[in-house]
Amino acid sequence: MDDYTLPFWIYLGVLTFFVAGAMKKILASHLSAAPALVAWLGATVLVERLWAFCLPAVLLLALLVLAFCIYSAARTGPPPTTLSAHGKAVFITGCDTGFGNAAAKHLDALGFEVFATVLDLSGDGARDLQRTCSPRLTLLQVDITQPQQVQQALLDTKAKLGLKGLWGLVNNAGVCVNFGDAELSLMSNFRGCMEVNFFGTLSVTKSFLPLLRQAKGRIVTISSPAGDQPFPCLAAYGASKAALNLFTNTLRHELEPWGVHVSTVLPSAFKTGQSSNHAYWEQQHKQLLQSLSPALLEEYGEDYVAETKELFQSHASQANPDLSVVIDTITTALLSPQPQARYYAGPGVGLMYFIYTYCPFGLSNRFLQSLFMKKQVMPRALRKQSGFNLDLSLHNNNNNEEKLK
């Protein structure tokens, strides 16, 4: 067995790849999963038999490369057909900036009749949409946390559509108002995230469902991997997105008999909203320090809070400014004949979910921490405790040495 240590690990990695691929095919399939399952399991058995004959690792890899080439060649051909945007109406929330603004422009250019909600009709985002989009686009001032404004938007949309239903609802509006550890975050931060990301989206979705059922349309919700995975210092935001993800998944099952497709888009890190605004992070940092009690600030320390701010700011500055991946994904979810339940938009998201799903908890947890918040500063109380323990250990060692003398 020792002679085959390297091939064994290669075999184990390949076997894991095939089994994971089979499960992904089953979970993502909207039709019968039998052909895909048979193909993947057959390939897995082939690898198993090759290993039984102890073929060299190089030959095994060569066979895998050949199989991949054959598979890729078999998949080449005309691109999959998509539905036409002509005559279809879509309602998008949160179009002042970011994904919503870019999606409204792109979908308008494709020929959709776009209803775009903004918080400020006189703001830069609204003026930008008015200047660049066609007369088909309708701007609506809506705060999705205000039921009266949501209902008014529904009435305005109905009046414009007439007897035609609504093809697409893009739930994009969202906020991330928390900053730092859960213990340091105000209750108002948790409530603020829930009000917009969950309750606001819930209100819009429930209000527009009759129009979506009428058209057998689509619901596309922009969520976050933070709703599925425990990102440090994102407890309030992640909890709201977790509630949103569960609601969306439940809605998918309930609306299937109505012919309404429900998709969730999970983007990686992109520059949107205030993320690249240095003054924004400084203001958040100042507000956090002012909100903490003296005792809690003493426990954590000003330097610990400052490092958190710097890490958030650094992460935001390194985010991708090109939003096209997410916009293309939204378009695909709206126009694909068989849209997927989930879309991973951006580099690294699929790998992150693979590690989180298939790797041991300890490994996936360390990967997540190293990926997002690489904290170096410990809370002040823990540093004092570590120093006390170190002094106590040195004192005990000195006493032991005195006894030996």
Side-chain angles (χ1 to χ4, degrees):
M1 180 65 181
D2 293 340
D3 295 335
Y4 296 102
T5 302
L6 180 59
F8 172 77
W9 285 109
I10 294 176
Y11 157 75
L12 191 62
V14 172
L15 186 63
T16 302
F17 171 79
F18 276 102
V19 172
M23 295 187 67
K24 181 179 179 182
K25 288 286 185 181
I26 296 171
L27 295 174
S29 177
H30 295 273
L31 302 174
S32 173
L37 177 61
V38 171
W40 280 100
L41 291 182
T44 305
V45 172
L46 175 62
V47 172
E48 172 71 32
R49 291 300 89 202
L50 289 174
W51 173 253
F53 286 107
C54 298
L55 289 177
V58 175
L59 179 58
L60 179 59
L61 290 175
L63 289 173
L64 288 173
V65 170
L66 178 62
F68 177 77
C69 292
I70 296 174
Y71 176 74
S72 299
R75 285 176 61 89
T76 57
T81 58
T82 59
L83 303 176
S84 171
H86 179 71
K88 292 182 172 62
V90 60
F91 187 94
I92 312 173
T93 63
C95 297
D96 296 87
T97 60
F99 299 139
N101 188 276
K105 293 176 183 176
H106 182 69
L107 296 178
D108 175 75
L110 290 178
F112 277 98
E113 182 179 359
V114 176
F115 295 85
T117 76
V118 293
L119 286 173
D120 185 4
L121 281 175
S122 61
D124 293 338
R127 289 199 300 267
D128 182 37
L129 290 175
Q130 288 176 326
R131 184 177 63 253
T132 58
C133 294
S134 72
R136 290 190 306 274
L137 183 132
T138 302
L139 279 175
L140 300 168
Q141 184 165 316
V142 180
D143 179 348
I144 64 171
T145 66
Q146 302 299 318
Q148 301 88 345
Q149 295 186 25
V150 173
Q151 289 303 311
Q152 185 59 52
L154 175 62
L155 294 175
D156 294 341
T157 304
K158 279 183 175 180
K160 195 84 179 286
L161 290 177
L163 298 177
K164 184 174 63 173
L166 182 68
W167 174 257
L169 168 63
V170 180
N171 286 317
N172 167 73
V175 294
C176 181
V177 296
N178 72 300
F179 182 84
D181 298 45
E183 187 179 11
L184 304 181
S185 300
L186 297 172
M187 286 301 296
S188 59
N189 292 341
F190 286 87
R191 292 192 178 97
C193 282
M194 289 297 295
E195 280 295 329
V196 178
N197 299 340
F198 178 66
F199 288 112
T201 302
L202 172 63
S203 174
V204 171
T205 304
K206 284 176 61 66
S207 298
F208 283 83
L209 266 178
L211 292 180
L212 290 162
R213 289 190 287 103
Q214 179 183 342
K216 297 185 183 298
R218 310 286 173 86
I219 299 175
V220 182
T221 299
I222 313 301
S223 187
S224 168
D228 295 318
Q229 305 180 35
F231 282 85
C233 298
L234 284 179
Y237 178 72
S240 66
K241 290 295 187 177
L244 178 62
N245 288 347
L246 184 58
F247 167 69
T248 303
N249 291 336
T250 304
L251 201 62
R252 182 181 304 112
H253 295 293
E254 295 174 349
L255 294 180
E256 185 177 0
W258 294 92
V260 176
H261 293 282
V262 180
S263 299
T264 302
V265 177
L266 300 159
S268 58
F270 290 89
K271 285 187 179 180
T272 59
Q274 298 283 348
S275 61
S276 58
N277 187 344
H278 178 78
Y280 168 79
W281 294 110
E282 293 297 332
Q283 180 187 15
Q284 291 291 310
H285 179 230
K286 182 179 179 181
Q287 290 177 351
L288 176 60
L289 290 176
Q290 292 174 346
S291 68
L292 294 179
S293 66
L296 197 56
L297 184 58
E298 175 63 26
E299 290 279 312
Y300 278 88
E302 294 86 345
D303 53 350
Y304 179 87
V305 178
E307 186 201 34
T308 303
K309 182 262 296 184
E310 291 167 1
L311 288 172
F312 264 91
Q313 191 170 351
S314 173
H315 183 76
S317 65
Q318 297 171 8
N320 189 356
D322 183 8
L323 309 183
S324 60
V325 175
V326 178
I327 306 309
D328 291 342
T329 303
I330 294 173
T331 306
T332 300
L334 288 171
L335 293 179
S336 172
Q338 288 294 331
Q340 299 177 20
R342 281 193 157 198
Y343 291 92
Y344 301 135
V349 183
L351 175 62
M352 187 195 320
Y353 271 89
F354 179 86
I355 293 175
Y356 181 74
T357 303
Y358 295 106
C359 292
F361 173 77
L363 178 62
S364 64
N365 195 46
R366 285 195 296 271
F367 172 77
L368 197 63
Q369 290 176 338
S370 65
L371 181 70
F372 183 60
M373 294 291 284
K374 302 176 184 178
K375 296 192 70 65
Q376 302 295 326
V377 178
M378 293 178 63
R380 181 182 292 160
L382 295 180
R383 278 176 278 164
K384 289 182 178 180
Q385 182 180 340
S386 298
F388 174 77
N389 291 337
L390 179 59
D391 291 341
L392 184 62
S393 177
L394 291 174
H395 178 71
N396 291 335
N397 288 338
N398 291 335
N399 287 340
N400 292 334
E401 290 176 1
E402 289 293 332
K403 291 178 181 179
L404 289 175
K405 290 179 180 179

